[in-house]
Amino acid sequence: MKEDLKVLYFVNDYKHHVVKNFYYFGVGLQNVCDCRVWNNPANIHDVIEKLNFTPDFIFFHDYKGSPLITELNSINTPI
């Protein structure tokens, strides 16, 4: 059962890599909450508009394992 928590997960596309733990983490998140995964560099406002989704929380895989997202300082969503 999905909870009401909305999570935006930024991670590079690992679904075709040998080690897929980051991909499976995103799949697992989608099983327990309303989670959207974004894989491309972009402006945060464009991402939210394209997904038609306002997250409660933003999660980055890590510095090197996530796409470059700009304008993060202009939103009030916890990261």
Side-chain angles (χ1 to χ4, degrees), residues 12-21 23-24:
N12 288 329
D13 187 359
Y14 286 101
K15 66 183 167 195
H16 299 294
H17 288 221
V18 173
V19 178
K20 299 180 182 182
N21 56 333
Y23 168 73
Y24 291 131

Side-chain angles (χ1 to χ4, degrees), residues 15-69:
K15 66 183 167 195
H16 299 294
H17 288 221
V18 173
V19 178
K20 299 180 182 182
N21 56 333
F22 309 123
Y23 168 73
Y24 291 131
F25 180 76
V27 171
L29 275 177
Q30 291 172 338
N31 289 329
V32 296
C33 66
D34 186 2
C35 177
R36 311 292 167 89
V37 179
W38 189 267
N39 305 113
N40 300 311
N43 178 295
I44 188 64
H45 299 287
D46 294 338
V47 173
I48 290 171
E49 182 180 328
K50 286 178 185 176
L51 292 176
N52 193 23
F53 180 74
T54 303
D56 298 318
F57 183 80
I58 295 174
F59 182 76
F60 282 85
H61 162 68
D62 68 20
Y63 180 71
K64 291 184 179 181
S66 298
L68 177 64
I69 305 298

